[in-house]
Amino acid sequence: MPKKKKVAILYGGRSVEHAVSVNSARNIFEFLDKSKFEPLPIGISKSGQWFLTEGVSKDIQKGQTLGLSLNAGKPTFLLEKSGEKFSVDVLFPVLHGTDGEDGSIQGLIKAMDLPMVGTGVLGSSLSMNKIVAKRLMREAGLPVTDFVTFRYDEKDKISFTALSKKLGLPFMVKAASLGSSVGVAKVKSKKDFAAAVEEAFKYDDEMLAEQYITGREIECAVLGNSPPEASQPGEIVISKNYEFYTFDAKYVDPDAVRIDVPAKLPKAIAEKIRKASVKAYEALHCKDFSRIDLFLDKKGNIYINEINTIPGFTNSSMYPMMWKERGVSFAELITRLLTLAQERYDRGKRIERDFQSSLKF
């Protein structure tokens, strides 16, 4: 029997999406092929402490406190109470939002020099910031909505009149670097505006106001590297009780949405969405897997909304659903992701880290 690879599943984290991360990690832990992999759940509390937990649990702090010895290629985790040490073969970050999708944890894992599932430092930081991502996608010739950006120190200069003239009504106000519709508001009139700006800046030092698209919410799952492949698009049909796809509609209210996988689309439109999704994935240096969120208006125009480099794996998450429709089970999907991570890590070994010169030191 080949030796099982030890997979550290990182979950929780210092993020407003902490609870979503726990639910995603719980499914990954459950469906991981235990005949090939040994899961080691590592929970990160809301205060930033690391714990080895018994399974995946919302009660992260009931686990054993962890320390880390950073020896590149052979990092060691230390159970602080017992002094026991252990190592892992690959890391699977399931950390949504701040510190998880923005390149922070990816930088630490890069310093560990271990295989890691998902997009690296550069692609994570580019994709997480909606402002940077939109600019790069626009530069790549991809369709994005009109938008205007502001820093926190410009807060008092933001004009509702100027924005409504440029973007029309309604328009959206968003924190620059969050997911799960946190820090997002739909502005329909001047009375909504001040609260929307306050909410956005509550979570970030940058915000954007962008054109509201009346149309359909479409998502597309991208998997792999060189070349990546796109699933058939799926659609989120939102209840009329919601103004847009809010946090509660995503994760709390079971009657808020209907999910159609695949989406009922003309073949030509579906193919256009798939091609644009792969192009966006590559433009933002994504690796292994990502979910592309788009809008489709009544004229058949598509707009890329954002890219999620660690898409949800909860019971209501679209990413695994879209691959299941393609015949890829949850368990097989996780195995493919771990295989992709190892292959990419092995290819990266060709990069030289030393340079011989006559420089004396």
Side-chain angles (χ1 to χ4, degrees):
M1 290 285 292
K3 185 180 177 183
K4 293 182 184 180
K5 285 196 171 183
K6 294 181 178 180
V7 179
I9 301 172
L10 304 182
Y11 71 97
R14 298 190 304 164
S15 168
V16 296
E17 298 180 76
H18 180 99
V20 183
S21 170
V22 173
N23 287 336
S24 288
R26 188 176 286 125
N27 277 344
I28 289 171
F29 179 86
E30 179 182 347
F31 287 99
L32 185 76
D33 186 344
K34 309 296 194 304
S35 69
K36 297 178 181 177
F37 305 103
E38 178 186 347
L40 293 165
I42 296 177
I44 303 174
S45 71
K46 291 183 179 180
S47 64
Q49 284 183 290
W50 290 40
F51 299 86
L52 180 66
T53 59
E54 187 72 34
V56 173
S57 169
K58 66 179 181 178
D59 299 317
I60 287 171
Q61 288 171 283
K62 290 184 178 179
Q64 301 179 69
T65 310
L66 281 178
L68 175 64
S69 173
L70 274 177
N71 178 15
K74 297 179 181 178
T76 304
F77 289 94
L78 171 69
L79 294 170
E80 295 186 347
K81 188 173 181 180
S82 67
E84 182 184 345
K85 297 178 180 180
F86 67 92
S87 59
V88 301
D89 298 305
V90 59
L91 289 103
F92 195 150
V94 194
L95 296 161
H96 304 310
T98 309
D99 286 354
E101 286 182 88
D102 58 9
S104 300
I105 197 71
Q106 289 78 13
L108 175 59
I109 296 170
K110 186 177 180 181
M112 292 184 192
D113 192 22
L114 284 176
M116 175 199 73
V117 173
T119 298
V121 177
L122 177 62
S124 295
S125 57
L126 293 177
S127 301
M128 184 70 174
N129 187 294
K130 296 178 177 66
I131 296 169
V132 175
K134 283 180 182 291
R135 287 172 176 160
L136 285 172
M137 288 191 289
R138 187 170 60 188
E139 177 68 20
L142 288 158
V144 297
T145 56
D146 287 339
F147 63 97
V148 184
T149 70
F150 301 96
R151 300 185 308 272
Y152 182 74
D153 58 13
E154 299 173 310
K155 180 181 172 185
D156 296 335
K157 300 175 185 177
I158 303 174
S159 165
F160 169 79
T161 302
L163 287 177
S164 57
K165 185 176 180 180
K166 179 174 176 58
L167 302 173
L169 283 175
F171 60 84
M172 301 298 292
V173 168
K174 300 180 178 181
S177 297
L178 276 181
S180 292
S181 298
V182 176
V184 176
K186 182 178 179 182
V187 175
K188 295 184 287 184
S189 66
K190 191 170 184 177
K191 68 178 183 179
D192 305 324
F193 184 61
V197 172
E198 286 292 334
E199 183 72 3
F201 279 129
K202 182 172 158 182
Y203 298 104
D204 208 316
D205 284 329
E206 290 182 293
M207 63 152 272
L208 68 158
E210 65 178 359
Q211 175 189 6
Y212 178 79
I213 301 296
T214 301
R216 298 165 69 179
E217 294 252 4
I218 305 294
E219 298 188 350
C220 190
V222 180
L223 176 67
N225 309 301
S226 305
E229 58 180 314
S231 71
Q232 287 297 322
E235 180 175 8
I236 297 164
V237 183
I238 304 168
S239 162
K240 293 180 180 178
N241 295 330
Y242 292 87
E243 292 281 354
F244 62 97
Y245 198 22
T246 65
F247 184 95
D248 283 354
K250 288 178 179 179
Y251 303 115
V252 180
D253 184 351
D255 301 316
V257 299
R258 186 186 80 240
I259 295 174
D260 292 341
V261 177
K264 297 175 178 65
L265 295 168
K267 188 175 180 180
I269 294 290
E271 192 58 26
K272 183 164 75 167
I273 289 168
R274 294 177 73 228
K275 287 181 178 178
S277 296
V278 169
K279 188 174 180 180
Y281 181 91
E282 293 180 321
L284 292 177
H285 295 267
C286 297
K287 303 295 179 186
D288 298 346
F289 73 130
S290 290
R291 192 191 73 237
I292 319 299
D293 298 348
L294 312 95
F295 299 120
L296 174 66
D297 71 14
K298 293 179 181 179
K299 296 180 180 179
N301 299 311
I302 64 170
Y303 300 87
I304 297 179
N305 182 29
E306 61 183 61
I307 293 183
N308 293 268
T309 53
I310 305 181
F313 274 76
T314 70
N315 292 332
S316 60
S317 293
M318 285 280 277
Y319 189 89
M321 284 188 199
M322 287 186 277
W323 285 114
K324 184 178 180 182
E325 189 273 334
R326 296 283 86 189
V328 182
S329 70
F330 210 123
E332 184 183 349
L333 179 59
I334 295 167
T335 297
R336 285 180 66 173
L337 290 173
L338 289 163
T339 302
L340 284 165
Q342 185 66 57
E343 290 173 348
R344 188 164 44 79
Y345 175 81
D346 291 342
R347 283 197 304 272
K349 286 297 184 183
R350 72 170 188 81
I351 304 296
E352 289 287 345
R353 293 178 179 269
D354 192 16
F355 173 67
Q356 299 299 325
S357 75
S358 57
L359 181 66
K360 298 187 186 303
F361 61 94

